[in-house]
Amino acid sequence: MNKKYLPLAATIAVFIGLFLIGGGLYRNFLSTMVLGNILADNAFIIIAALGATFVILSGGIDLSIGSMIGFVGVCMAVLDSMGWHPMVSAGLMILFGIAYGAFQGFVIDFCRIQPFIITLAGLFLLRGACFMVTLDSVPIHHDFVDAYAAAKIPLPGRGVLRSSALVMLASLVLAIVIAHFTRFGTNVYAIGGDKESARLMGVPIRRTTIGVYALGGFYSALAGVVYALYTSSGYPLAGSTLELSAIAAVVLGGTLLTGGVGFVVGTLFGGMILGLISTMIIFQGTLNSAWIMISSGGLLFIFIVLHRFLVGSFNLRGNS
Amino acid sequence: MTTSMTASPRVEMLGVSKSFPGVRALDSVDLTLHPGEVHALLGENGAGKSTLIKILTGALECDRGDIRLEGRPVSFRTTGEAQASGISTVYQEVNLIPAMSVTKNLTLERTGGRLGFVSWRRAREQAREKLQRLKLDINIEQSVGSYSVAIQQLVAIARALDDDTKVLVLDEPTASLDAQETETLFGIIRDLKARGIAVVFITHFLDQVYEISDRISVLRNGSLVATKPTSELPPQDLVAMMIGRELGDVEAAFTKSERKAPGAEKVVARNLGKKRMLEPFDLVLRAGEVVGLAGLLGSGRTETAKLIFGAIRHDSGSLSVRGTEIRGNSPRRALDAGIAFCPEDRKTEGLVGELSIRENIVLTMQAKGGWLRRIPHRDQERLADEMIKALAIATPDAEKPVGQLSGGNQQKVVLARALASKPEVLLLDEPTRGIDVGAHAEIIVLIRALCDEGLALLVASSELDEIVAASDRVAVLRDRQKIGELSGEAINHENIIRMIAGGGADHE
């Protein structure tokens, strides 16, 4: 097996291992129902993390994800109360997400400013905008939302794939195609691997950087749409610190934070591991929810150390 | 050659000028390239070679001047545009993405494919085809970083070559290659030449210039000195053109001055070694003496220096500095004991490119003095200015980022930094790597001057000339083992080569 698949294999092994441990500890855990629920409950995190995967692969970071999710939610809720169809407002918000991301990417490249700072500004801006739109939680009432919530594909066993899970899986396929079968995707890896070399090799840095953050904006806006439909409401504080969960999912999925190395599909498993941990703690029943973050943190820590070790001994980035 | 000379030129650069803040990099330079010629571009560090090449290949735009490709005026805004017009470059530092596969590196931004999609099947075919041109047989799925620098260099050339390549620029392609790899590369260059490609060859190895090039252009301080057929330019004249002074000066720098008897023992290594890295060896460094470390690549030169400095921890033997044994050696303890080290790879181990000359010089001192005791800014400036003057570093001021200096000047900053901590022992690993004749001589003169001031020096070098010129005593290494020492009159090329090659009479 090629060495570059090792972190991905480790991620998948951890997922399967956790799932089996859960099955050993709790009755009814090892089922398609639990799996289906994890997919649906974490769909928005994984969708956002898919966008973050591109950003991180390019060597950047996007902190505006959580605020985007909140902003998309409140906008959709308010537009709903004004009589807009959710699909129309969703489309509008996704276009906004793309434009907002593209603008962040442009500023990052044009002004040569660290993505951390630009997207931190983006985080504050959008969160503030949420409160400008509404201070309260606004419900979304629409037949479409009910139909969206009811739609499901049965899985073998008692499990179902809900709409959110389906949107997430479709997003995943799109992300895999973009990352691994387009020039743009290859260029993202190249920029993350060595920006100066990539420039000299003729990779259009500005266009690719703008594209990366636009794609990040697209995925976080889509995550916002899924979240709004999933909770049938918009709440100005929704999605706070979610960018950090998304980054955690990407890292757990085997992508190097320094960029250039990783797989999109790893992010799916990274996100599902986070979901699995919270499901296990809920199944356990007596532990309070603090343990979700504690175990996620512990696992993240172990993974980073493991990565460091893998990079050191197998030369993942290939510096000889 | 004669036929190609009469053909119309491939590229004409006329009156090209370029300035950077504080430095005039190019001043009205003309360069003409003919099809099927190997054109050597020579000059000291900072002469403007890299700038000229970057302008030709679209990485920089010139302030003034014209570029004509096959008679048509062109102006490239990106390297991509230059590549599309048939001008390809392999830059000095291998510019590939180490983490990506050979296939991806070869086809990045070079694959057709509809709607921005990549067909990996076609990309692999393309990659194999490109490697086939250089008769290179490697696994194209493996990451580039897992191959040796030599292979990476060839991959970079393979990438640069297309069916419609008209001009190929090779910037110091042989710097990290051994003799055999260089020969392979020259075979490839001759092949390209036969296909009518104009090859620009930048190097500081003069023998290679005479082996491969048809014409030579020499740059000095941003101006073109002359362009001449190689056959009409003897090496002595060439060197004089490059460094702009009489060759006698250079030779004088290489001849030994009157040498005093060495002083007290500063460093004594007894049975110092590390398993699987270096066999145990004895070595004594004395004040006012230069000890050369000679040996082939991989013989353990760098390792010897790093063991003494503590950058590599020894697992056998002992090391004492000025009479006191150092236990658990580390760079920090070595610095405290008065040992300074200038590493071979100044980019990754020696300098912080973004920091200014002053900041780089102060780094080690700050580490030695402790982080809490800040060195006053005025002292820093004074020190930096002193060093810039003492080592003749070419820069407008001490605040220039080190990354923007030429190779030779960067090396001087490394030296300045080591000297700023007022060491008693100085370890230099390849002090003249990647810098050319003029700077070369200057560095050797510097080494001798430091020695005369009573410093104990250890100089590891792959260049025998340098070892012979600079050393009072030479330790010879072979296969990670110290095989002997030469001193005084016995230090000459033949003796060293004989020791390295044969291990004395028993093998002859």
Side-chain angles (χ1 to χ4, degrees):
Chain A
M1 187 174 70
N2 196 321
K3 287 178 292 217
K4 67 179 181 180
Y5 297 115
L6 267 174
L8 180 62
T11 302
I12 296 176
V14 167
F15 175 73
I16 294 172
L18 279 177
F19 204 39
L20 291 177
I21 291 170
L25 289 174
Y26 316 116
R27 281 203 318 158
N28 297 333
F29 192 90
L30 212 58
S31 64
T32 54
M33 195 170 80
V34 168
L35 193 67
N37 285 343
I38 290 176
L39 285 175
D41 294 345
N42 295 285
F44 66 100
I45 294 184
I46 296 174
I47 292 171
L50 290 172
T53 310
F54 284 95
V55 175
I56 290 173
L57 278 175
S58 79
I61 197 91
D62 187 354
L63 299 179
S64 66
I65 293 172
S67 301
M68 178 65 84
I69 290 174
F71 184 70
V72 167
V74 291
C75 286
M76 280 183 69
V78 168
L79 288 174
D80 175 71
S81 65
M82 290 161 65
W84 287 49
H85 190 282
M87 282 298 272
V88 178
S89 53
L92 180 74
M93 291 322 292
I94 286 174
L95 285 180
F96 170 77
I98 294 172
Y100 193 81
F103 178 70
Q104 291 192 127
F106 174 77
V107 176
I108 286 165
D109 185 75
F110 186 75
C111 306
R112 293 167 196 249
I113 297 176
Q114 283 79 9
F116 188 98
I117 293 301
I118 294 296
T119 59
L120 184 65
L123 180 159
F124 289 138
L125 251 156
L126 279 179
R127 187 60 72 189
C130 289
F131 291 109
M132 290 293 285
V133 175
T134 173
L135 287 171
D136 309 302
S137 178
V138 182
I140 304 179
H141 300 291
H142 198 279
D143 295 343
F144 174 80
V145 179
D146 299 334
Y148 177 87
K152 56 190 74 164
I153 297 176
L155 288 171
R158 288 181 301 142
V160 288
L161 276 182
R162 295 177 202 284
S163 319
S164 301
L166 292 172
V167 173
M168 185 270 282
L169 292 174
S171 314
L172 175 72
V173 172
L174 177 69
I176 290 175
V177 170
I178 293 175
H180 302 301
F181 297 97
T182 65
R183 275 168 79 144
F184 171 77
T186 316
N187 288 348
V188 171
Y189 278 87
I191 290 182
D194 187 336
K195 195 169 174 179
E196 189 52 26
S197 291
R199 193 175 70 84
L200 289 172
M201 286 164 91
V203 173
I205 305 286
R206 176 159 306 163
R207 211 191 321 148
T208 310
T209 306
I210 292 173
V212 161
Y213 286 90
L215 198 60
F218 164 77
Y219 273 113
S220 29
L222 183 63
V225 169
V226 167
Y227 188 72
L229 294 178
Y230 178 71
T231 59
S232 6
S233 68
Y235 176 52
L237 272 174
S240 299
T241 72
L242 211 123
E243 55 280 343
L244 301 181
S245 303
I247 292 167
V250 174
V251 172
L252 283 173
T255 299
L256 282 187
L257 257 185
T258 44
V261 178
F263 293 95
V264 169
V265 75
T267 300
L268 169 71
F269 287 97
M272 289 214 294
I273 287 172
L274 289 177
L276 203 51
I277 291 172
S278 53
T279 308
M280 281 170 82
I281 285 173
I282 291 163
F283 261 72
Q284 209 279 339
T286 59
L287 289 173
N288 70 35
S289 60
W291 286 97
I292 296 177
M293 288 195 94
I294 291 175
S295 24
S296 304
L299 200 64
L300 194 62
F301 175 76
I302 293 169
F303 252 72
I304 300 274
V305 173
L306 184 79
H307 262 187
R308 184 69 220 151
F309 169 73
L310 283 175
V311 171
S313 58
F314 298 111
N315 233 335
L316 234 49
R317 282 177 70 80
N319 301 314
S320 50
Chain B
M1 233 279 291
T2 40
T3 50
S4 65
M5 295 296 287
T6 53
S8 63
R10 206 22 69 91
V11 171
E12 286 171 288
M13 297 177 85
L14 299 170
V16 172
S17 300
K18 175 83 188 171
S19 294
F20 295 111
V23 179
R24 179 138 221 201
L26 285 179
D27 187 9
S28 194
V29 170
D30 300 335
L31 184 73
T32 309
L33 304 174
H34 294 288
E37 78 164 339
V38 177
H39 196 117
L41 188 57
L42 301 174
E44 285 198 71
N45 291 314
K49 291 171 298 188
S50 297
T51 310
L52 187 65
I53 289 314
K54 282 188 173 159
I55 289 170
L56 174 63
T57 58
L60 280 177
E61 280 183 78
C62 56
D63 300 338
R64 272 184 293 111
D66 297 310
I67 306 174
R68 291 198 196 126
L69 179 63
E70 292 176 327
R72 288 172 294 111
V74 286
S75 107
F76 305 121
R77 276 170 299 136
T78 65
T79 51
E81 284 181 18
Q83 273 164 7
S85 307
I87 298 178
S88 295
T89 322
V90 179
Y91 291 96
Q92 185 167 5
E93 273 86 40
V94 181
N95 277 286
L96 297 170
I97 317 288
M100 297 212 310
S101 70
V102 173
T103 306
K104 289 186 184 179
N105 267 291
L106 285 172
T107 58
L108 188 64
E109 279 298 299
R110 293 288 175 90
T111 45
R114 258 166 304 172
L115 296 168
F117 283 94
V118 178
S119 155
W120 290 117
R121 196 174 50 81
R122 262 199 29 215
R124 278 191 288 272
E125 275 170 27
Q126 230 180 328
R128 285 201 196 91
E129 205 179 296
K130 276 175 178 288
L131 293 176
Q132 188 57 43
R133 286 200 195 111
L134 303 189
K135 300 178 186 65
L136 194 60
D137 187 22
I138 55 174
N139 180 0
I140 57 171
E141 294 307 315
Q142 224 169 297
S143 70
V144 158
S146 64
Y147 289 105
S148 70
V149 179
I151 298 279
Q152 292 186 27
Q153 192 95 53
L154 292 179
V155 171
I157 294 173
R159 178 187 156 77
L161 285 178
D162 277 319
D163 282 331
D164 55 356
T165 298
K166 295 177 182 129
V167 177
L168 177 66
V169 181
L170 301 172
D171 190 357
E172 293 277 7
T174 56
S176 48
L177 305 189
D178 66 25
Q180 199 196 333
E181 289 163 342
T182 303
E183 225 13 82
T184 311
L185 178 65
F186 282 1
I188 289 163
I189 292 179
R190 288 192 188 98
D191 218 46
L192 300 174
K193 190 178 140 174
R195 279 195 264 154
I197 293 173
V199 179
V200 178
F201 182 58
I202 300 173
T203 186
H204 63 275
F205 296 113
L206 296 190
D207 49 340
Q208 293 182 0
V209 170
Y210 284 95
E211 183 178 346
I212 194 83
S213 73
D214 302 309
R215 288 198 305 155
I216 300 174
S217 285
V218 178
L219 289 175
R220 189 169 75 223
N221 294 333
S223 306
L224 181 74
V225 179
T227 298
K228 286 197 168 178
T230 307
S231 52
E232 293 169 22
L233 190 61
Q236 291 215 338
D237 297 1
L238 174 60
V239 172
M241 279 165 71
M242 283 168 67
I243 62 178
R245 42 182 117 123
E246 291 309 309
L247 193 62
D249 289 355
V250 183
E251 278 174 345
F254 280 86
T255 57
K256 298 178 191 192
S257 52
E258 281 300 306
R259 292 186 182 176
K260 300 175 207 153
E265 291 183 349
K266 290 284 178 187
V267 174
V268 180
R270 291 270 171 254
N271 271 322
L272 200 68
K274 173 152 178 85
K275 275 196 204 77
R276 284 187 296 278
M277 194 170 266
L278 203 60
E279 296 293 318
F281 64 92
D282 294 342
L283 192 67
V284 179
L285 304 179
R286 297 188 185 88
E289 185 187 37
V290 177
V291 176
L293 277 178
L296 299 175
L297 197 69
S299 61
R301 295 187 312 248
T302 299
E303 289 79 357
T304 305
K306 283 191 172 175
L307 268 178
I308 292 173
F309 187 58
I312 298 172
R313 226 163 231 237
H314 63 259
D315 57 10
S316 69
S318 67
L319 179 73
S320 44
V321 181
R322 284 182 286 160
T324 30
E325 183 171 347
I326 295 193
R327 288 180 193 281
N329 60 341
S330 69
R332 181 64 193 272
R333 288 195 188 159
L335 284 169
D336 287 346
I339 302 181
F341 176 55
C342 297
E344 168 179 29
D345 191 339
R346 54 181 178 263
K347 275 236 170 84
T348 60
E349 293 179 60
L351 292 174
V352 186
E354 291 82 7
L355 294 185
S356 71
I357 298 174
R358 174 180 56 80
E359 286 162 322
N360 267 289
I361 290 176
V362 172
L363 264 182
T364 5
M365 294 185 68
Q366 190 73 69
K368 198 179 173 186
W371 293 105
L372 287 176
R373 266 176 292 148
R374 213 183 115 74
I375 300 166
H377 199 271
R378 208 175 331 140
D379 288 1
Q380 295 188 12
E381 276 175 355
R382 186 179 42 78
L383 181 74
D385 289 339
E386 262 175 39
M387 285 296 172
I388 288 169
K389 215 169 130 197
L391 303 187
I393 299 170
T395 174
D397 60 64
E399 300 306 317
K400 190 167 170 143
V402 161
Q404 292 175 16
L405 295 177
S406 67
N409 282 312
Q410 288 187 8
Q411 189 62 45
K412 286 181 183 174
V413 175
V414 173
L415 211 59
R417 199 178 68 184
L419 292 173
S421 64
K422 307 245 182 308
E424 296 188 26
V425 181
L426 184 57
L427 314 174
L428 303 169
D429 191 7
E430 296 285 0
T432 58
R433 160 131 325 163
I435 64 182
D436 41 58
V437 187
H440 206 114
E442 272 182 66
I443 299 264
I444 296 209
V445 169
L446 266 174
I447 289 173
R448 287 308 318 175
L450 292 169
C451 174
D452 290 341
E453 281 170 29
L455 231 66
L457 287 114
L458 181 72
V459 179
S461 174
S462 57
E463 295 194 38
L464 221 44
D465 286 341
E466 193 174 300
I467 294 276
V468 170
S471 315
D472 300 309
R473 197 146 53 85
V474 176
V476 183
L477 296 160
R478 187 181 64 216
D479 296 336
R480 311 193 165 279
Q481 199 175 349
K482 184 183 164 195
I483 54 172
E485 281 190 13
L486 296 167
S487 58
E489 294 299 309
I491 300 176
N492 58 43
H493 289 68
E494 297 87 68
N495 283 343
I496 296 174
I497 289 169
R498 195 178 308 135
M499 279 179 82
I500 291 173
D506 43 336
H507 286 291
E508 285 177 3

